Amino acid sequence: KAALKENTLNGHVYAISRNPQIRRVLMYNKTMFEKNNWEDLYSLQENGKLTWDKLTEIMSKAAVVNGNDITRYGLVPVYSIEEFGREMLWANGAQVLSRKDDTTNFDYTLENSMATNALNQLRSWVLNKGYLYDSANYGWDTGRQVFYSGKAAMAIVDYNHFVEVSSNADFDIGMCLFPHGPDSTDDLVAFGVSPICIPKNVKNPDDVALFWDVLLEYRNESVYEVKEEYYDAMPDESVKATIEKYIESSQNGNYVCDYGMHMKIVSDSIKKVAYGETTAAAALSSIKQQINANIQDFWK
């Protein structure tokens, strides 16, 4: 249902898409949590008590810092700090571009208190040494290794990393959705559209469709077909419950789909706020004009 919604324009479906990919879920080192008597994240979420303040509390306890040497982090983002910043925006009810129904109308919806509060929280976490792992100086794909090596309490992880992380970790893994921020009520479920469409004037559409059908069967990237592998790799009950909740939320339309997520100007602005080089309010205001110009140019 999510794929159909995002691939529909003015009542017509123009593309197909693979099943939803589970992204940006929060894994945690359950063994570490139990050893230190930290409250279980999944249980907190189920009882409506998993907040950003609670994450801050756990990060402060988990971070082990000796001068310039950080031997244990609170939280590891799956990729870069700026990408994590976008995830925090979404979790607090903000996004760069919002699409109106199934039309070509897009609005810049980032300049608000929800976005400001999310970026201020990001800056606070980044500037507290050891709270967040920053891959900027080590390589974008190093984060999950830091987590499965036992050097972090929590990690944001995508579905294609689940088995790698679990097979290398020598501890029990728990899972929950990344919690919503103070200005929202929905825990994070992000949907990225992967549209596959046949060009209008192609002469052999049946052949193209057949090729794609065979290719997709070969790649076998359906979440629904491989989730049993996830459950075998991570048997804690929180894993299955979280994956099922993610899929259900996506099917029910309770997800974020941000068409402006890859804009470089947004990434650069988030990074400057995170490192304390500018304020959230100033950054969000400065990009408004350029984003609106991009919207106008897109349909020319």
Side-chain angles (χ1 to χ4, degrees):
K1 292 180 181 178
L4 281 174
K5 178 183 175 182
E6 300 303 336
N7 292 327
T8 299
L9 177 63
N10 296 327
H12 299 279
V13 179
Y14 285 91
I16 60 174
S17 185
R18 293 195 297 273
N19 283 324
Q21 298 171 343
I22 301 169
R23 296 185 178 278
R24 281 62 173 172
V25 295
L26 184 58
M27 277 187 179
Y28 56 101
N29 184 330
K30 191 160 185 173
T31 303
M32 183 186 296
F33 271 67
E34 292 174 346
K35 181 179 179 180
N36 290 282
N37 293 316
W38 301 336
E39 295 174 274
D40 183 75
L41 297 187
Y42 176 75
S43 297
L44 284 169
Q45 189 165 76
E46 285 298 284
N47 292 307
K49 296 181 179 180
L50 183 56
T51 63
W52 287 4
D53 285 342
K54 182 60 67 175
L55 290 185
T56 302
E57 177 187 324
I58 294 170
M59 289 180 200
S60 67
K61 294 177 179 178
V64 178
V65 181
N66 298 306
N68 292 323
D69 186 23
I70 302 174
T71 56
R72 191 173 72 187
Y73 294 87
L75 174 65
V76 176
V78 64
Y79 300 124
S80 65
I81 289 294
E82 55 267 34
E83 188 134 347
F84 178 54
R86 282 192 291 265
E87 293 150 18
M88 292 184 66
L89 289 170
W90 301 337
N92 204 35
Q95 59 190 84
V96 181
L97 290 180
S98 298
R99 182 188 180 203
K100 293 182 178 179
D101 301 319
D102 69 345
T103 70
T104 59
N105 298 320
F106 291 86
D107 285 332
Y108 172 65
T109 52
L110 200 57
E111 193 179 18
N112 51 53
S113 60
M114 296 181 292
T116 300
N117 291 338
L119 294 183
N120 283 337
Q121 181 65 77
L122 173 68
R123 179 173 58 188
S124 175
W125 285 346
V126 169
L127 296 182
N128 274 284
K129 200 167 186 178
Y131 279 31
L132 288 183
Y133 173 76
D134 186 351
S135 65
N137 296 322
Y138 307 102
W140 66 268
D141 61 345
T142 57
R144 55 187 183 273
Q145 182 177 359
V146 171
F147 176 66
Y148 67 62
S149 298
K151 298 177 182 177
M154 302 172 286
I156 309 292
V157 183
D158 280 353
Y159 80 104
N160 53 323
H161 302 149
F162 286 177
V163 175
E164 176 192 349
V165 170
S166 60
S167 62
N168 283 284
D170 62 355
F171 50 81
D172 293 332
I173 292 174
M175 184 183 291
C176 62
L177 299 179
F178 185 77
H180 63 81
D183 303 304
S184 180
T185 58
D186 296 322
D187 298 319
L188 179 60
V189 173
F191 181 78
V193 183
S194 301
I196 301 174
C197 54
I198 299 176
K200 183 177 181 180
N201 297 319
V202 71
K203 295 180 179 179
N204 56 336
D206 290 340
D207 293 339
V208 174
L210 176 61
F211 171 76
W212 279 339
D213 188 47
V214 173
L215 177 64
L216 291 176
E217 179 66 25
Y218 169 73
R219 294 182 68 180
N220 192 25
E221 289 190 1
S222 169
V223 166
Y224 297 101
E225 294 174 2
V226 300
K227 63 183 181 181
E228 291 299 332
E229 183 180 3
Y230 303 157
Y231 303 157
D232 290 340
M234 298 173 288
D236 189 79
E237 62 179 10
S238 65
V239 174
K240 182 174 183 179
T242 297
I243 289 175
E244 295 291 353
K245 184 182 294 186
Y246 194 106
I247 294 173
E248 181 182 3
S249 295
S250 181
Q251 288 282 45
N252 291 338
N254 189 23
Y255 60 87
V256 176
C257 184
D258 191 348
Y259 286 84
M261 68 173 293
H262 292 301
M263 289 185 174
K264 187 175 186 300
I265 186 174
V266 176
S267 298
D268 290 345
S269 297
I270 291 175
K271 186 185 298 186
K272 289 179 180 178
V273 174
Y275 294 147
E277 297 172 8
T278 187
T279 66
L284 296 173
S285 178
S286 69
I287 66 176
K288 181 177 181 179
Q289 184 174 354
Q290 185 169 340
I291 294 292
N292 284 333
N294 288 345
I295 294 173
Q296 297 300 317
D297 289 342
F298 186 78
W299 297 110
K300 288 182 180 179

